[in-house]
Amino acid sequence: MPAPRVSAAFGVLAAALALGGAELAAALVGRPEAGPLLAVGSVFIDLSPAWLKDFAIRTFGAADKLVLLLTLAGVIAVAAGVIGTAALRRPRLAITALAGLAALAGAAALSRPGARPADVLPASVGAVGGTLALLYTRRGLRPRPAGQVTPAALARPGQPVPSTAQPARMAGAERRVLLTRGSAILGLAVLSGGAGRAITSARRSSADGRALVLPRPADPAGALPASVSLNVPGLSPFTTPNDAFYRVDTALIVPRVPHQEWTLRVHGLVDRPVELSFADLLARPLSERDITLTCVSNEVGGPYAGHARWLGVDLAALLREAGIRPGADQILSCSADGWTASTALESVLDGRDALLAIAMNGAALPPAHGFPARMIVPGLYGYVSATKWVIDLKLTRFADERAYWTRRGWAERAPIKTASRIEVPKPFAEVPAGPVTVAGTAWAQHRGIAAVEVRVDDGAWRQADLAASAGPDTWRQWQTTWQAAPGQHRLEVRATDATGHTQPAERLPPIPDGATGWHSVLVTVT
């Protein structure tokens, strides 16, 4: 293998050691989010335009963060290969470039909300490790000086190479040295990265609520009637299991906040600022409510909606205890990772079941869904109502402060739009001729679903049968029977909410306040 290629490969190994060492350092200081990949990735997310974020969510779904990290790793590998090649003849330039990348990673870590001076340490440790790896491997890759004549070149035509040259043995020895050094670097990279992951995993496992004993609700929701579910094969369950509930957020790493250390601050335009511990929350009367959540990034017919039974503190009562001052019209909530959301104050105080939730479906909130506490405000898209890992509630004015997504062009107030989707049959399914069950779900939180209609091939709309309603803040299942004739057909659905509003036909993207349009599927009848 030519020396430049070997040098490039060692550059990649040096980068692996740099990242592994940085991850170990980040774990040791208890700041995994300060690792170069996570810090740079988080900055990239913040600087990305809204259309790019929407594209990533639409294209990759829950894997969008993994795709971003893999892309960053690929970019680093290419840059490391270039640096490794440069180290062969221009080591100072290579080390300078490595230091520059480390400086960028350190700056990214220090730019994050809640950053500490120690957050620059992982990038620094990575830079030192990468530099030492480059220097170590370069010793085995020293290029032959220009004009140097090998013993083979001194041999006359037809004469054997002098035995002192032994080029084959030297090449074999060099390969063994390079292989040994490369294996050593790779081993250190794996060990340091693995140790960092293990330390972080051990700490994170102690920051969830699996061992938490939940108090009984003072205001229980009661049993759901069996008729809320139609029990159609292939139809989403009425209550979404916790491990299947959608997750859309900007966190590359799920924040882990031990509930023993968690506090919530209520301040701003209030008469009596409040600070609550998790124990304070558990001591308050808890309410249990069935509420369906929807993400504003949900395309027509998309998967980013889910239903759960939530347990939490009455949010409106908590705010009123703090004493709301005249002029306040916004709740600016902040999560443990610095993300912010702006919620219209009137939407929390108008009597709806807004909660500061600590549990879903009978268990403490999973870390990915906001443990120790999150906001739940029915009727609003999640980006203005459902802050996870919430630690701060500031009463303020829309005219004075803007939140994460509103600064990026999304609407300040975002009530959930009436929507419906076909789940059975699936798109491009083949079904036999004759009676075919068509079923799905519809939602219009805080208004409720009054009717669902289905049509085939632009024909007449016909009413579907609705399951029982569990309340205006929940979605509703529906079904109808279609007498299917052979051929290819297009099925469409639309819903009407309890105010009489029927979802519009015009297809609009999620930006800036939620998608609209009728969901349709193509099926083939055989």
Side-chain angles (χ1 to χ4, degrees):
M1 182 182 292
R5 295 185 184 178
V6 177
S7 187
F10 277 126
V12 174
L13 288 177
L17 179 58
L19 292 176
E23 183 155 352
L24 177 58
L28 290 175
V29 298
R31 299 283 292 173
E33 63 273 21
L37 270 180
L38 294 177
V40 173
S42 297
V43 170
F44 180 84
I45 289 175
D46 286 351
L47 296 179
S48 297
W51 66 264
L52 182 57
K53 292 186 177 74
D54 183 62
F55 169 80
I57 294 171
R58 184 174 64 253
T59 305
F60 304 113
D64 59 341
K65 299 170 183 63
L66 176 61
V67 170
L68 172 58
L69 291 175
L70 290 176
T71 301
L72 284 176
V75 171
I76 291 173
V78 172
V82 173
I83 291 174
T85 303
L88 186 61
R89 295 187 181 275
R90 305 183 67 182
R92 291 183 180 178
L93 177 62
I95 292 173
T96 300
L98 186 61
L101 292 177
L104 288 175
L110 291 175
S111 72
R112 306 307 302 151
R116 306 168 187 171
D119 287 356
V120 76
L121 184 62
S124 302
V125 170
V128 172
T131 299
L132 293 177
L134 281 178
L135 295 176
Y136 178 61
T137 56
R138 181 178 176 273
R139 295 179 59 188
L141 290 171
R142 289 173 180 171
R144 184 179 293 112
Q148 177 176 320
V149 181
T150 65
L154 294 175
R156 294 179 181 177
Q159 290 184 340
V161 176
S163 61
T164 55
Q166 298 178 339
R169 291 185 182 178
M170 290 299 293
E174 289 174 358
R175 281 196 294 270
R176 285 192 294 274
V177 169
L178 295 177
L179 181 60
T180 299
R181 296 188 177 193
S183 298
I185 294 172
L186 180 60
L188 284 174
V190 172
L191 285 175
S192 58
R197 287 290 180 91
I199 293 171
T200 298
S201 178
R203 288 178 174 171
R204 288 163 64 86
S205 65
S206 65
D208 60 39
R210 284 178 293 183
L212 189 65
V213 178
L214 297 173
R216 292 183 176 276
D219 185 9
L224 289 170
S227 51
V228 299
S229 179
L230 295 174
N231 298 316
V232 175
L235 186 61
S236 298
F238 180 81
T239 297
T240 309
N242 289 1
D243 60 358
F245 209 94
Y246 77 91
R247 178 197 167 197
V248 178
D249 53 54
T250 63
L252 276 178
I253 182 172
V254 174
R256 298 294 184 104
V257 183
H259 66 274
Q260 301 91 336
E261 302 173 11
W262 177 88
T263 58
L264 175 72
R265 183 183 177 213
V266 183
H267 63 112
L269 295 176
V270 298
D271 296 324
R272 297 171 294 279
V274 174
E275 187 168 292
L276 298 173
S277 67
F278 195 76
D280 293 331
L281 285 188
L282 295 183
R284 298 174 68 93
L286 300 180
S287 300
E288 196 176 48
R289 295 293 183 266
D290 288 295
I291 300 170
T292 299
L293 301 187
T294 308
C295 178
V296 72
S297 295
N298 205 38
E299 295 281 351
V300 173
Y304 301 132
H307 176 81
R309 173 164 287 188
W310 307 91
L311 176 69
V313 170
D314 185 320
L315 183 56
L318 177 61
L319 297 179
R320 288 191 173 103
E321 287 177 18
I324 303 169
R325 293 182 180 177
D329 62 4
Q330 175 187 204
I331 305 167
L332 187 68
S333 54
C334 182
S335 70
D337 65 343
W339 185 85
T340 55
S342 54
T343 308
L345 179 60
E346 63 187 20
S347 297
V348 173
L349 302 180
D350 65 2
R352 70 186 73 194
D353 292 318
L355 299 175
L356 186 65
I358 62 168
M360 63 186 295
N361 294 330
L365 291 171
H369 294 293
F371 185 80
R374 68 175 297 171
M375 287 176 60
I376 299 289
V377 183
L380 305 179
Y381 285 117
Y383 83 101
V384 294
S385 70
T387 304
K388 296 184 285 189
W389 319 293
V390 63
I391 59 171
D392 191 277
L393 299 177
K394 181 180 181 181
L395 270 66
T396 180
R397 301 180 180 91
F398 281 107
D400 297 335
E401 298 186 69
R402 295 192 297 166
Y404 183 95
W405 284 115
T406 51
R407 293 197 304 269
R408 289 160 174 81
W410 293 75
E412 286 183 341
R413 302 166 188 263
I416 295 175
K417 297 178 179 179
T418 303
S420 56
R421 70 186 181 199
I422 299 171
E423 300 179 31
V424 179
K426 302 298 183 186
F428 308 110
E430 291 188 1
V431 298
V436 172
T437 297
V438 181
T441 51
W443 55 85
Q445 288 94 312
H446 204 54
R447 301 183 303 280
I449 292 294
V452 172
E453 299 169 284
V454 177
R455 72 175 180 179
V456 182
D457 299 330
D458 296 323
W461 291 100
R462 55 176 296 177
Q463 292 279 338
D465 296 323
L466 295 176
S469 171
D473 294 332
T474 68
W475 59 10
R476 200 167 181 182
Q477 296 184 351
W478 58 268
Q479 70 173 348
T480 189
T481 301
W482 166 46
Q483 294 297 326
Q488 191 174 71
H489 301 279
R490 182 163 63 99
L491 310 176
E492 288 181 293
V493 64
R494 69 182 185 185
T496 300
D497 64 34
T499 69
H501 173 75
T502 299
Q503 66 181 106
E506 183 182 8
R507 284 273 185 136
L508 293 176
I511 299 174
D513 59 357
T516 65
W518 298 336
H519 185 220
S520 64
V521 298
L522 293 176
V523 298
T524 300
V525 180
T526 58

